[in-house]
Amino acid sequence: MSPVTATERPGLPLRHRRGLTVADAMEPWTHQIADDSTVDRANDVLRGSGAEYLLVRDHDGRCEGVVTRTGLRSAPARPRHTEHTGRTTVGATAHQRGPFAWPTLGLALAAVAMRVRRLTVWPVVDEDGYPLGVLTADRAAFLLAAPGGGAEG
């Protein structure tokens, strides 16, 4: 069996004797919000950025989950003129929470887990729970479908 060549997986490091991992496929997260921010604020960030999701971080900076536009729509609506103390926080919404992916997890296994959990985006965290990036279902599917993707080298 010949080793997988770099031309079979352009832009990825050559992996010998193992397949792709989440680290090979994760992307940086670009938009985030604190879990104690209001749903109104999260909606403003989503509208302003054009993003489909926000990474939710707790007061220590650890990953708390992901909130999507759809998830925010299910939050109780409050008029803009109410007091800040009465507003729903992002942490109180029904958003995606852990467990999260880790960089050494096999990409094929991660893709299966995402399908089973019906996730389009999955935070990738270090051993202390701090975010390293995100794995999207589209990116995982693309890399696994590429010649040599996910195959043993």
Side-chain angles (χ1 to χ4, degrees), residues 22 52-55 63-68 70-71 94-102 105 107-125 133-141 144:
V22 168
E52 291 299 316
Y53 66 89
L54 297 172
L55 191 68
C63 186
E64 168 25 77
V66 172
V67 68
T68 63
T70 305
H95 61 278
Q96 174 195 328
R97 299 177 191 270
F100 305 119
W102 58 95
L105 179 64
L107 185 57
L109 181 58
V112 169
M114 290 181 78
R115 270 194 306 276
V116 168
R117 293 181 63 202
R118 295 185 180 108
L119 302 176
T120 57
V121 62
W122 199 12
V124 181
V125 298
V134 294
L135 176 64
T136 64
D138 289 343
R139 175 89 171 141
L144 290 170

Side-chain angles (χ1 to χ4, degrees), residues 25-138:
M26 73 180 184
E27 302 169 4
W29 76 93
T30 53
H31 305 296
Q32 61 186 335
I33 196 156
D35 62 352
D36 60 354
S37 296
T38 65
V39 169
D40 286 344
R41 175 71 182 129
N43 280 319
D44 289 344
V45 172
L46 285 169
R47 272 192 298 277
S49 67
E52 291 299 316
Y53 66 89
L54 297 172
L55 191 68
V56 181
R57 295 178 69 167
D58 69 12
H59 65 279
D60 290 326
R62 288 184 173 87
C63 186
E64 168 25 77
V66 172
V67 68
T68 63
R69 292 173 187 267
T70 305
L72 291 174
R73 277 190 226 120
S74 65
R78 301 210 186 244
R80 281 202 167 274
H81 63 274
T82 60
E83 294 180 29
H84 275 292
T85 57
R87 295 205 176 164
T88 303
T89 63
V90 172
T93 64
H95 61 278
Q96 174 195 328
R97 299 177 191 270
F100 305 119
W102 58 95
T104 58
L105 179 64
L107 185 57
L109 181 58
V112 169
M114 290 181 78
R115 270 194 306 276
V116 168
R117 293 181 63 202
R118 295 185 180 108
L119 302 176
T120 57
V121 62
W122 199 12
V124 181
V125 298
D126 67 12
E127 61 275 356
D128 295 318
Y130 291 99
L132 299 171
V134 294
L135 176 64
T136 64
D138 289 343

